Amino acid sequence: METTGLSASTVTVRASNIGGIDETEVDIPPGVTVLSGRNATNRTSFLQAIMAGLGSTRPSLKGNAEEGRVELELGGETYTRTLTRRGGSVAFGGDPYLADPEIADLFAFLLEDNEARLAVARGDDLREIIMRPVDTDQIEADIRELEAEKDDVDERIASLDTLESTLPELEAERTEIESDLEAAREDLADAQAAIDDLDADLEESRSRKEELEAAFQAVREARAEVEDLTFELETEESTLAELRTERDELAATVDEFEPLDEDPERIAGRIEELRQRKRSIDETLNELGSVISFNEEMLAGDGLDVTFGDETGGSEASADAGSDAVTDKLLGDDQTVCWTCGSEVDRSRIDDTVAKLRDLRADTLEERNEIRDQIDDLTARRSTIQQRRRERERTERRLDSVESDIEAVEARIETLEADLDAAEDRVAEREAATEDVGAGEYDDVIERHREANELELKVDRLESELADVEDEIAETESKLDERETLRARRETIADDLTDLRTRVDQIEADAVEAFNEHMAAVLDVLGYDNIDRIWIERRETEVREGRRKVSQTRFDLHVVRSGDDGSAYRDTVDHLSESEREVTGLVFALAGYLVHEVHETLPFILLDSLEAIDSDRIAALVEYLQEYAGYLVVALLPEDAAALAEDHATVESI
């Protein structure tokens, strides 16, 4: 599998006061690195140091230290992580490799307490773990944004479809104007020819002729002014009518808005409270899961082989005389020495306590799911309220703007009407002046000039109308060209919406497919002959939420074994051996690592606590997993490490 180019270089890890480490520096080459050693040799602590440098906040600070630090030299860059004790907690700082380590904590850092790894053994909701890194709120927001854009594109396309129907009308109007213009030009040519003939017969003085021409030119100018003002007035009146119609529609829309009886800021505050509560519950669930798993392993062990954790509180046990002393105190099947308080108790009391812890965890998980549903409902409600508020504010702003535009247009109309009256008065005055200039003997010439003047105005008007129609046709054709672009965009939006709406389903399906495929391959490689198949079935179920039933997806884990006679039968996860459970949990984590494409940003897989699996199978499992990570760092006991290929890097001292 192709991973990020970072896996081509050696990683240098420097750590101080992490877990049980005082100070260390180790180089990690690409490929498999084996941390070989007995318990309590800081192998788990070193894995935690790598986790810290990569961004995790799960590593622990050395018990007697106030500050710890990790430096990772990776791909030519240096990444840092600091741990500082503050009161009863540890604060994390620095500039680590990952800004958000959640997905790596789930699917790449596979130490003993890894939640994905433990999910199989504890019977956790496998689907919830796989889907936890998916930001469903962001997906819903993206869907709403694309839906709004799609509505806008649809409206624009519909508008262009309507606009297309106006093209034939515009083309017919252009043909009619061209015909009228040609006729008007011919009439003007005839009128001017008649004037020329009359001018040739006149024996008037040059000055009188110039005076007559000047009078007609003044009339032409006055009439042109009237034409211009009339056109402007008609345009403004049309604009006013459209604005008044829009104002009425906007006012009706504002009246239709329901009053906003909830404050989105208060809802946001409630959401944050619920998210804090959910985070707290998640931490509680993790702690309960670890406690239950530990006690189940202790109860399941022959003779309750009590071991002590290393300096980190992790899985590495000190195999010293103290361990043997405690083990020697165990009193058989009915009574035992409690490994938490040191007193003698009935085994049944421990069983009851573990059962109560399981019930508590189930109740806590149900509470977490209820809180998650409340967060989803409140988020949707806040989004709806915010959208309604934005729509109302946008409508009210547009209404105010339209009101201002109406006032401005009404003022312009009033001014234009006054200007038009004055211009018409000037036309009348100048036409009277032409009559005074040529009264009597020049009546025929005056009439011809008046006719030619009107024809000139008509030609100018028709030429202006033709130019306007041709511009409108060109603009319409240009907009219609845009329609194809909009249609292509609409198809893209539709594809994106389909992808978003099916993304959750696709991730679920891919996760199931990845698990089933790799589980089959691993069972074959590791040679679990009595297991035919371990597989996840993805199915829809109906659950009741309050008074309604909703559909939910479940991941059901199935086990199929072969009997001594060769016949297949269905078994349960509870009957898997510890080795089989460990392998199944690791494959489930690998499925999450692949489905969420963790390798594209983080070419690391860290492994610890594989003692339940025999050496040869550990070697085969490591060989299988190394294909999927640029750096596979695994902590092993010396006898288990000896089974691996000799070409792997080995670290024996930390």
Side-chain angles (χ1 to χ4, degrees):
M1 171 174 292
E2 181 180 353
T3 58
T4 175
L6 293 174
S7 58
S9 61
T10 295
V11 178
T12 299
V13 184
R14 301 184 186 89
S16 60
N17 294 332
I18 302 298
I21 295 174
D22 290 323
E23 189 165 352
T24 191
E25 178 176 333
V26 177
D27 289 335
I28 304 295
V32 176
T33 297
V34 179
L35 308 179
S36 177
R38 292 295 171 186
N39 292 329
T41 54
N42 288 329
R43 294 169 301 137
T44 298
S45 297
F46 183 70
L47 290 177
Q48 288 191 0
I50 298 175
M51 290 169 55
L54 293 173
S56 178
T57 58
R58 292 180 176 271
S60 59
L61 180 63
K62 197 169 189 291
N64 61 353
E66 295 300 315
E67 294 183 349
R69 181 178 178 86
V70 176
E71 289 185 0
L72 286 186
E73 288 186 5
L74 173 61
E77 301 288 339
T78 299
Y79 302 93
T80 62
R81 171 62 95 188
T82 60
L83 290 75
T84 305
R85 196 178 305 282
R86 293 179 181 172
S89 62
V90 174
F92 289 82
D95 184 19
Y97 181 73
L98 295 175
D100 183 359
E102 178 186 30
I103 197 168
D105 281 331
L106 278 173
F107 304 121
F109 304 152
L110 308 184
L111 276 59
E112 183 180 27
D113 60 351
N114 171 265
E115 190 170 0
R117 181 175 168 180
L118 294 175
V120 173
R122 296 195 311 216
D124 288 349
D125 184 348
L126 301 183
R127 187 259 179 198
E128 188 276 332
I129 291 176
I130 282 290
M131 298 307 298
R132 190 179 300 171
V134 180
D135 190 344
T136 53
D137 290 343
Q138 185 60 50
I139 290 177
E140 290 298 326
D142 292 342
I143 288 174
R144 288 193 295 271
E145 183 177 347
L146 283 175
E147 285 175 339
E149 184 182 357
K150 181 177 179 294
D151 291 343
D152 179 63
V153 170
D154 286 340
E155 289 179 6
R156 292 168 64 186
I157 291 176
S159 175
L160 291 175
D161 289 340
T162 302
L163 187 62
E164 185 179 29
S165 66
T166 66
L167 263 182
E169 298 176 3
L170 290 171
E171 291 169 347
E173 184 179 358
R174 177 175 63 184
T175 300
E176 182 180 354
I177 292 174
E178 288 174 340
S179 177
D180 291 344
L181 180 58
E182 183 179 359
R185 285 171 175 167
E186 291 176 356
D187 292 342
L188 177 58
D190 292 342
Q192 289 174 338
I195 290 172
D196 291 341
D197 291 341
L198 289 173
D199 285 346
D201 296 337
L202 291 175
E203 295 179 357
E204 58 187 0
S205 66
R206 182 178 183 83
S207 61
R208 189 167 178 76
K209 185 176 180 179
E210 291 176 352
E211 184 182 353
L212 186 62
E213 287 292 342
F216 280 114
Q217 179 62 31
V219 171
R220 283 194 294 272
E221 292 173 356
R223 286 185 173 174
E225 183 182 6
V226 168
E227 289 282 341
D228 291 342
L229 289 170
T230 300
F231 177 77
E232 289 185 37
L233 182 59
E234 290 173 352
T235 301
E236 294 294 342
E237 287 175 340
S238 175
T239 300
L240 180 61
E242 293 174 358
L243 288 171
R244 285 174 173 169
T245 299
E246 184 179 2
R247 178 186 60 187
D248 294 342
E249 292 174 352
L250 290 170
T253 301
V254 170
D255 291 340
E256 291 172 359
F257 280 113
E258 298 178 359
L260 300 176
D261 52 358
E262 290 183 286
D263 183 358
E265 298 303 322
R266 294 184 62 184
I267 295 178
R270 177 57 178 157
I271 291 173
E272 182 57 30
E273 292 175 2
L274 289 172
R275 284 176 174 166
Q276 291 178 357
R277 175 58 181 157
K278 181 176 176 295
R279 285 192 289 269
S280 175
I281 290 177
D282 286 338
E283 293 176 359
T284 301
L285 284 171
N286 289 337
E287 293 171 0
L288 283 172
S290 298
V291 171
I292 292 171
S293 178
F294 171 76
N295 282 277
E296 286 176 338
E297 291 174 2
M298 296 295 288
L299 286 171
D302 294 331
L304 298 179
D305 186 13
V306 179
T307 56
F308 293 98
D310 70 358
E311 296 91 329
T312 70
S315 63
E316 295 179 4
S318 176
D320 57 11
S323 174
D324 295 335
V326 174
T327 304
D328 292 340
K329 293 181 181 179
L330 303 181
L331 303 177
D333 293 336
D334 297 329
Q335 286 191 323
T336 185
V337 175
C338 176
W339 45 84
T340 59
C341 66
S343 60
E344 295 181 5
V345 295
D346 290 338
R347 179 189 293 266
S348 61
R349 291 183 60 187
I350 300 177
D351 289 333
D352 291 343
T353 300
V354 173
K356 291 178 182 178
L357 287 173
R358 291 195 194 101
D359 293 340
L360 175 60
R361 188 176 187 280
D363 293 341
T364 306
L365 184 61
E366 182 178 354
E367 181 184 0
R368 194 269 304 276
N369 293 336
E370 290 176 356
I371 290 176
R372 183 176 58 193
D373 292 340
Q374 291 180 46
I375 291 173
D376 292 341
D377 292 342
L378 288 172
T379 300
R381 191 190 313 168
R382 181 184 61 174
S383 177
T384 300
I385 292 173
Q386 290 174 331
Q387 183 177 359
R388 284 168 48 201
R389 172 176 288 181
R390 287 193 296 269
E391 290 175 355
R392 182 186 184 105
E393 290 174 350
R394 184 168 59 249
T395 302
E396 289 175 341
R397 286 196 301 270
R398 179 56 186 163
L399 181 58
D400 292 340
S401 176
V402 168
E403 291 282 8
S404 299
D405 291 344
I406 287 175
E407 293 177 3
V409 171
E410 287 176 339
R412 287 198 297 273
I413 288 176
E414 185 177 349
T415 300
L416 286 171
E417 287 175 341
D419 292 344
L420 182 58
D421 289 341
E424 288 174 343
D425 290 342
R426 284 193 291 276
V427 169
E429 292 173 359
R430 292 178 184 182
E431 286 180 342
T434 60
E435 294 174 359
D436 293 340
V437 171
E441 57 184 310
Y442 301 115
D443 288 347
D444 194 18
V445 174
I446 292 171
E447 184 59 32
R448 291 294 183 181
H449 273 283
R450 182 180 293 111
E451 180 183 351
N453 185 39
E454 291 175 353
L455 287 169
E456 286 178 352
L457 291 173
K458 183 177 182 180
V459 168
D460 290 342
R461 177 175 56 78
L462 289 171
E463 288 176 342
S464 177
E465 291 178 1
L466 180 61
D468 291 342
V469 170
E470 288 178 338
D471 288 344
E472 190 172 355
I473 289 174
E475 183 180 358
T476 300
E477 290 175 341
S478 176
K479 289 181 178 178
L480 291 178
D481 290 340
E482 180 191 1
R483 183 172 53 179
E484 294 308 314
T485 302
L486 289 172
R487 285 174 174 168
R489 176 57 185 158
R490 181 172 61 180
E491 291 181 4
T492 300
I493 293 173
D495 291 342
D496 291 345
L497 279 171
T498 300
D499 177 65
L500 285 172
R501 289 167 177 159
T502 60
R503 181 172 298 175
V504 172
D505 286 341
Q506 190 61 53
I507 292 174
E508 292 175 352
D510 289 347
V512 169
E513 181 181 0
F515 175 84
N516 292 341
E517 175 186 340
H518 290 285
M519 195 70 238
V522 168
L523 288 176
D524 183 59
V525 168
L526 301 191
Y528 286 105
D529 297 332
N530 65 332
I531 298 180
D532 290 349
R533 187 183 180 195
I534 297 178
W535 58 289
I536 289 176
E537 177 189 11
R538 176 172 171 258
R539 62 186 182 90
E540 295 291 327
T541 61
E542 282 194 350
V543 298
R544 183 172 295 278
E545 288 188 356
R547 297 182 178 179
R548 61 185 182 128
K549 287 185 176 181
V550 297
S551 179
Q552 285 188 355
T553 304
R554 286 180 52 88
F555 283 6
D556 291 339
L557 188 63
H558 301 291
V559 180
V560 177
R561 293 186 183 273
S562 293
D564 294 337
D565 59 357
S567 61
Y569 66 95
R570 179 167 293 185
D571 202 354
T572 65
V573 177
D574 294 338
H575 293 162
L576 290 175
S577 68
E578 186 177 1
S579 171
E580 292 164 347
R581 285 201 306 270
E582 287 287 355
V583 170
T584 304
L586 288 170
V587 173
F588 178 68
L590 174 63
Y593 185 83
L594 298 176
V595 167
H596 291 290
E597 299 178 338
V598 183
H599 62 278
E600 292 191 355
T601 55
L602 183 72
F604 280 85
I605 291 180
L606 309 182
L607 282 175
D608 189 15
S609 301
L610 302 180
E611 290 81 3
I613 308 172
D614 61 84
S615 299
D616 290 339
R617 284 178 172 146
I618 290 176
L621 182 63
V622 169
E623 295 299 324
Y624 187 87
L625 292 177
Q626 71 172 330
E627 178 184 350
Y628 302 100
Y631 302 89
L632 177 60
V633 186
V634 53
L636 296 175
L637 294 171
E639 56 268 28
D640 293 332
L644 269 66
E646 295 181 357
D647 58 347
H648 296 320
T650 301
V651 177
E652 296 181 343
S653 176
I654 299 174

